[in-house]
Every structure is written in structure tokens, then in C-alpha cells.
Amino acid sequence: MGYADFYRRSIEDRDAFWAEQAKLVDWETPPATICDASRPPFYRWFAGGRTNLCHNAVDRHLAQRADQAALIYVSTETGQEKVYTFRELHAEVQRMAAVLATLGVGRGDRVLVYMPMIPEAVFAMLACARLGAIHSVVFGGFASVSLASRIEDATPKVVVSADAGSRGGKVVPYKPLLDESIRLSQHKPGAVLLVDRKLAPMEKVAGRDHDWATLADRHQRTQVPCAWLDATDISYTLYTSGTTGRPKGVQRDVGGYAVALAASMKHIFLGKPGETYFSTSDIGWVVGHSYIVYGPLIAGMATILYEGLPIRPDAGIWWNLVEKYKVASMFSAPTAVRVLKKQDPAFLKKHDLSSLKALFLAGEPLDEPTARWISDGLGVPIIDNYWQTESGWPILTVANGIEKKASKFGSPGVPMYGFDVRLVHESTGEELTGAGQKGVVVLEGPTPPGFMQTVWRDDERFVQTYWSSIPGRQVYSTFDWGIRDEDGYFYILGRTDDVINVAGHRLGTREIEESISGHPNIAEVAVVGVADPLKGQVAMAFAVVKDASALVDDKARLKLEGEVMKVVDDTLGAVARPARVRFVTVLPKTRSGKLLRRAIQAVCEGRDPGDLTTIEDPAALQQIKDLVAS
Ligand code: PRX
């Protein structure tokens, strides 16, 4: 069957299509219904079915591949390297599950995971899946305020964390940040489970903090069976940024997610049992959830968990791993490739990369020079794929597992099976069907398996944020601009909202503004994303101070800029730090007081700011223009 037919069936004969895909995973009880679309936009997949993600990722493989590699841990930060077979992974996950259970974790309880890229982080995620607990992984690069808001929203019974992470050889203590975030949060977790890597000293809070190694020791052989869960139960929440300063808990199910991942591993990622998969993302992001942890393991593949930078000890480290572990499929982000591109190209030639079938890139637009460079260097297909935390798996790409289809530079590809992708006019909602017309990329319901169920504990926000932004029709907005060419290939042209994408990391400009406003001398601030050749975008801040005497000369300005950056580092984390903080006397706003972020962004990028008839004070934009030019 060609891809066009495969796709058409997924939309027109939805239930039959997904019933077939559902056979890719194990069910304790097979589903009674395939898609329950009776209450849009809350679509329920595989209702009546009972399964478990951990069973499908681990236990299921014991019969055939117990002694094959499952988790390959490599840290160029600490020099550790360890391979866990499926049998060993099974034992480790049970130990973690036993420990979590003794801390009171059961079905439906939340466990927040704030961890560096170490095996225990994966054990914790899988242990939650095993017990039917809901994990909420928070990226280790986030700091206390980001973490506190997530603890408060997820209300976890237990937090799993570690003494420290490490980045570029520099130890990053986690424990003080965690303590501070628990202090800031209204909700106090009952227990904190700590992995002591002996990288940084930890002060334990008596009665609350527990040492992983000590508790794990008591459960060397404890068996913890997988809890059979309803397909529509919640597997996890993962926070992501949007237009407001408050992150949204993207909530996902169990059965739909298992099927979506199993299908994507087969049709898109060309994953075969026994092969090795290497995704360079972090478990704190959706790519890490879907394609470091669950996807490859569900497919019976070994997955590499890499802690370290792509250029340390040298720019050949990833290719070294590809050779050593015979990586078949690799997944990364364009930013990482741009970083490698600045290094000696000889690193690409030093290793035997013959095992590699394809490199998948996602998270931000893939520019043509980057795509060409890596394509020439590796000699394998480079497969751009477009998706979101909300979707869980690719919305647009090419499904080479169904039919070999040429990629086009600059385009992630065509709609994936199950995704009814449309382009609509931003303000009229009119559907744009012609080639080359620019519109908002939206999805017509039902959204496919694996797609977010709702916003955690906030159905109203789910409907209001995602399904109500286009006038006259209930469609899911991706908040991305796009166009489609005459062959049906889509091109993504950036966000329609205040979300920015820095080095593949999705950040909300409002969150950064709120953080900067925490500095005692900042009266007002606007943060915009500005195009950057290496990181895709960087955050730029323009601030008005309360007391201008702090800006007497350049030295004073730089000092204040440094202070503001430190506030962001300490509250949100260095990932959110703006590239520059510039000071102005007034911000460009409309007469009704709305910040003109898009005009600021245009000026920063040397583009025409567009229609300015509503601007209150044109001199405000001129100040920014002058600063950018200086
Ligand atoms: O703007 C799009 C951009 O990243 C956003 C989603 O980010 P996140 O939730 O972190 O999920 C990343 C999952 C890969 C999208 O709304 N984006 C993602 N992939 C691409 C992309 N933009 C262009 N091309 C892509 N391939």
C-alpha cells in the first residue's frame, strides 16, 4: 500500500485503521471501542482496553530478548558507561517501583522527576508506568521558580531527584534548587527520593528525604507486577510553555500513547527489535519521553541515554557512539547539528557509520545549509519531523516505513496518518486549500492516539487555549504558521503566539518577562524571540527601570544587565536567560496598552514592523531601533 492510501484509510476508516495498529502492543484486555468521539474535543482512544506502558517497554521483551541491551547509559560528564539488558532493566525498574510503593505511591498518584540524564531517571519513569502512577518529569535545566510552579500544579506525593547534574564538566547542584522550590510551593511533597551521585554535598531534611541506594538495597529481589490500567488512564503530564506565564500540564493517556509510539517506531522511525536507537534529547522534553524512553523500548530496541555535550571530549563523540553501539536510527535537533557544523568536519569521517539508516531532526525549523551539510557528511536520509509536546509524535514528516518518499529541503513533509492537518485564515477561519497560501496550521478532530487528552486538571483551559482560537470552528491550533506546496508538503513559518524556540527548547516569553520583573529595579519589560544563526532564536529583553540612576554609564548598564540575567538563571534556569537585556525609557504599546511584541521582534530582525497606526508612542520603537543598530 502506498502512503496516500495508508493516510486516507487513517482518516476515512479510522477505527479499522487504528484497531490494526493496536495489535502492535500487548493488551491484557483488548479495547472494546477504538475511538470514542462522543464528547469533542475530548477524544478517548481504546476504551475498555487494559494495558501497561512498562509491560510493553520491558516485560514483554523478556521472552525473546532478555539478554539483549535495553538501556545504554553513556556519560561523558562522569566517565560512566553501562549497558542494562532487558532482564537487568526489568529488575531495576522493579526495585524503583518497590521503593516508590513503600513511599506510598500508588495508582493515580503523581511523582515528579527532577533528574539529570542518569539511568535512575528512566527507572523512575518506567516504575511509575508500572505502578499506574503519573510521572511529571521536569527538565533538569529549570531552576527553582519553574520547578515550584510545576510542583504546585502536579501536587506530587514523591519527588525523585539527585544531588547534581553536570554540564560541560561543571557540576550543577540540584538539591538546593529543589529545596528552594519546595519552600516556594504551596504543595509540599510527602517524600523526596534522592540519588546520590557524590557530585555535590546534600543536606537531607529529616523525615522527608530518602536515600535511593539505602532503600533500593532492601528491595534487591522484590517483584512488583505491572498494574493493568485502563487505556484511557493518565500515564504522565509534561509541562510546556504557552502564551501565559503559567505552564500547562500536557496530559497523556496509556493505551493511545503505547499504540501511537509503537506505530511511529515502525512506520516513521524504521525501528527494528534488537537494533539501537540514539536520541540526543533530554528526558525533560517530549522527545525524551517518546523517543529516548518509551518508543524505542516498546519497539524492543536498545536506547542510548547520553549525558554530555555533543562536542566533549570532541565533536566526534556522537559518531563514536554510533560506531560502538551500531546505532541504526538517530534523533537530534537542528541546533545540535549547527554546533557540530562549526567543528572540524573530519570528525564525521573518523568513524564507521555504516549501521546508521537515517537521522531524524525535530524541534525547530531545519534550514537548508544545515540539512545539506549533515546529509552530505553522513550519506543517509535526513528526516525532518514537525510536532509538539501536545501531539506526542510527529504531525508532519515522511513515513518511509510505508513508502519511500523524497524529502524536500525546508519542509518537514506531509501529514502523518491520523492527523487531519489543515491551514486556516487566522481571523476568518476560512480554510486555505491553494498552494502557497499562508495560514495557521490546525488539526481537525478527532486527534489521533497519543495526542494530549487535556490540560492537567483544567479541561476548560484545554478547550479555551487550543480549540477556541479560530473563529467559527472547533479545530486544534498548533499556533504555528504554515504553507503547503502543490505536492502537499508543508512548510512551517514560526509561531503565531508568544512562544519562542531557543536551541530547540520551547520557552514562553511571558514567563521570562515575569521572571525579569522580579528584579527590584525593573518597572516593565518586553521579551521577544530574535533569529539567531546557531540557536534558531534567542530571547531579547527590553526593560524600563524604576530608578534611572542605575544607568549612569555603560558600566552601570552592564552591571544591571548581569543582575537581570542572574534573576532569570536563578528562577527559571540558564536555558531561559536572554541573550541581551537592553534598557529603554518606554516600551512600544498600542493606545490600549498592549505590548507590540511583533513590532519589536521585526525591528530586532531588521524587518519592516508593519502597520503601526495603533502605536501610542512611535519614539518607543525608534529607541529600540537605535539600540539594535548600535
Ligand atoms: O513551533 C514548532 C516547533 O516547535 C514547537 C513545538 O515544540 P515542543 O513542544 O518543544 O515539541 C517539540 C517536539 C519535536 C512547534 O509548535 N517545531 C517543532 N518541530 C519543528 C518545529 N518547527 C519547524 N520544523 C520542525 N520540524
Side-chain angles (χ1 to χ4, degrees):
M1 190 192 292
Y3 184 71
D5 290 328
F6 188 78
Y7 176 79
R8 197 172 312 118
R9 231 185 123 226
S10 78
I11 304 295
E12 290 171 7
D13 199 4
R14 189 189 318 127
D15 282 11
F17 177 91
W18 286 109
E20 217 163 87
Q21 302 303 318
K23 295 192 187 122
L24 293 170
V25 304
D26 264 11
W27 298 88
E28 187 254 357
T29 310
T33 355
I34 302 301
C35 178
D36 169 4
S38 60
R39 208 167 59 92
F42 301 94
Y43 301 103
R44 297 169 77 242
W45 284 94
F46 308 117
R50 275 153 56 94
T51 184
N52 183 291
L53 279 163
C54 184
H55 167 83
N56 277 288
V58 184
D59 302 45
R60 182 191 187 187
H61 304 300
L62 293 175
Q64 278 183 41
R65 51 191 87 257
D67 296 314
Q68 285 182 15
L71 181 68
I72 300 169
Y73 173 55
V74 179
S75 174
T76 51
E77 296 290 337
T78 60
Q80 278 168 298
E81 192 154 336
K82 184 163 178 177
V83 178
Y84 297 84
T85 63
F86 277 98
R87 191 196 310 282
E88 287 162 341
L89 181 60
H90 184 237
E92 292 289 352
V93 171
Q94 292 194 88
R95 280 208 305 165
M96 181 64 85
V99 169
L100 289 175
T102 61
L103 296 176
V105 174
R107 210 167 151 169
D109 290 331
R110 272 81 54 215
V111 174
L112 189 132
V113 177
Y114 180 61
M115 290 279 256
M117 291 281 283
I118 55 175
E120 289 81 359
V122 177
F123 305 158
M125 291 168 76
L126 292 167
C128 288
R130 194 168 189 88
L131 294 167
I134 300 167
H135 62 65
S136 193
V137 182
V138 177
F139 175 55
F142 282 136
S144 56
V145 171
S146 308
L147 185 54
S149 66
R150 287 155 173 82
I151 292 176
E152 205 155 277
D153 194 70
T155 60
K157 203 169 225 180
V158 174
V159 174
V160 183
S161 191
D163 57 337
S166 176
R167 203 177 144 75
K170 195 171 156 266
V171 170
V172 186
Y174 278 27
K175 184 62 172 31
L177 290 176
L178 176 61
D179 287 342
E180 172 65 3
S181 66
I182 294 176
R183 195 185 64 75
L184 291 171
S185 165
Q186 302 263 327
H187 171 81
K188 312 288 177 196
V192 174
L193 183 63
L194 293 155
V195 177
D196 191 355
R197 311 176 71 191
K198 307 263 185 314
L199 293 178
M202 274 195 286
E203 268 178 50
K204 295 235 175 68
V205 176
R208 185 195 78 183
D209 295 356
H210 302 267
D211 177 53
W212 154 249
T214 310
L215 296 190
D217 222 31
R218 297 181 200 148
H219 293 283
Q220 285 303 349
R221 268 170 210 88
T222 310
Q223 296 197 350
V224 182
C226 286
W228 295 114
L229 306 173
D230 290 335
T232 53
D233 279 350
I234 307 168
S235 59
Y236 69 74
T237 65
L238 178 59
Y239 288 87
T240 193
S241 303
T243 298
T244 69
R246 202 160 53 92
K248 296 180 286 272
V250 167
Q251 175 184 315
R252 223 177 302 285
D253 69 0
V254 172
Y257 191 49
V259 173
L261 292 183
S264 71
M265 290 306 296
K266 181 170 174 210
H267 308 314
I268 301 171
F269 294 104
L270 318 171
K272 296 230 164 57
E275 291 183 347
T276 305
Y277 197 89
F278 179 18
S279 164
T280 68
S281 183
D282 187 284
I283 48 150
W285 307 107
V286 71
V287 177
H289 283 62
S290 293
Y291 298 113
I292 294 177
V293 182
Y294 291 111
L297 292 175
I298 287 174
M301 302 177 84
T303 184
I304 295 183
L305 183 75
Y306 175 67
E307 181 186 40
L309 301 179
I311 49 167
R312 203 171 162 273
D314 60 47
I317 177 63
W318 284 357
W319 316 121
N320 183 9
L321 295 178
V322 169
E323 175 174 357
K324 181 164 179 189
Y325 294 107
K326 301 199 169 43
V327 172
S329 303
M330 191 166 163
F331 192 138
S332 193
T335 295
V337 178
R338 288 193 291 264
V339 167
L340 294 177
K341 189 166 165 248
K342 294 181 89 178
Q343 310 284 321
D344 185 351
F347 282 116
L348 270 170
K349 302 283 169 221
K350 276 170 104 174
H351 298 277
D352 175 7
L353 307 178
S354 56
S355 60
L356 197 63
K357 289 188 280 195
L359 171 67
F360 300 87
L361 296 174
E364 53 178 322
L366 174 61
D367 55 288
E368 190 164 335
T370 303
R372 282 200 194 278
W373 178 79
I374 193 70
S375 172
D376 292 347
L378 292 179
V380 299
I382 305 301
I383 302 182
D384 188 359
N385 53 116
Y386 160 86
W387 48 294
Q388 308 182 305
T389 305
E390 290 83 347
S391 71
W393 59 285
I395 299 171
L396 300 170
T397 184
V398 288
N400 278 336
I402 302 294
E403 181 192 356
K404 291 254 176 308
K405 207 172 159 87
S407 292
K408 293 194 189 189
F409 281 118
S411 164
V414 299
M416 281 302 98
Y417 51 93
F419 286 102
D420 191 353
V421 188
R422 315 278 177 105
L423 286 172
V424 298
H425 189 277
E426 179 195 25
S427 48
T428 65
E430 177 205 349
E431 190 159 341
L432 308 172
T433 49
Q437 284 180 293
K438 177 179 169 181
V440 181
V441 179
V442 302
L443 305 174
E444 193 78 55
T447 43
F451 202 85
M452 75 186 291
Q453 293 179 298
T454 185
V455 173
W456 166 251
R457 282 191 173 154
D458 204 343
D459 286 352
E460 176 64 21
R461 196 170 174 203
F462 175 60
V463 177
Q464 282 309 321
T465 305
Y466 293 108
W467 294 86
S468 311
S469 72
I470 304 296
R473 48 198 296 174
Q474 193 184 48
V475 286
Y476 169 88
S477 177
T478 62
F479 298 103
D480 280 304
W481 294 110
I483 55 170
R484 180 173 34 207
D485 69 12
E486 55 289 345
D487 299 324
Y489 282 69
F490 281 74
Y491 296 76
I492 299 296
L493 309 171
R495 298 281 303 195
T496 66
D497 60 4
D498 298 327
V499 166
I500 61 172
N501 196 318
V502 180
H505 299 326
R506 172 168 163 185
L507 303 168
T509 51
R510 297 287 173 94
E511 281 165 83
I512 305 175
E513 287 171 5
E514 277 176 27
S515 163
I516 292 176
S517 300
H519 186 285
N521 197 14
I522 299 297
E524 248 191 319
V525 60
V527 171
V528 297
V530 175
D532 179 84
L534 192 62
K535 296 182 171 181
Q537 279 187 310
V538 291
M540 284 287 176
F542 295 93
V544 179
V545 295
K546 291 180 185 159
D547 173 8
S549 68
L551 302 174
V552 281
D553 55 20
D554 283 350
K555 208 171 139 217
R557 275 172 200 277
L558 276 176
K559 180 167 169 280
L560 187 58
E561 179 171 14
E563 279 176 28
V564 169
M565 288 186 179
K566 184 157 185 321
V567 169
V568 178
D569 282 7
D570 292 348
T571 55
L572 300 182
V575 282
R577 184 198 302 156
R580 289 296 315 262
V581 182
R582 317 293 294 259
F583 300 102
V584 291
T585 55
V586 57
L587 288 170
K589 288 186 189 160
T590 62
R591 270 171 228 123
S592 54
K594 227 175 128 247
L595 258 177
L596 287 163
R597 287 196 188 72
R598 281 192 206 175
I600 301 175
Q601 182 189 37
V603 163
C604 290
E605 292 180 347
R607 290 182 285 112
D608 175 11
D611 180 16
L612 291 173
T613 45
T614 60
I615 195 167
E616 166 84 28
D617 178 3
L621 207 56
Q622 191 57 46
Q623 272 193 46
I624 293 178
K625 240 183 217 164
D626 295 344
L627 272 177
V628 173
S630 69

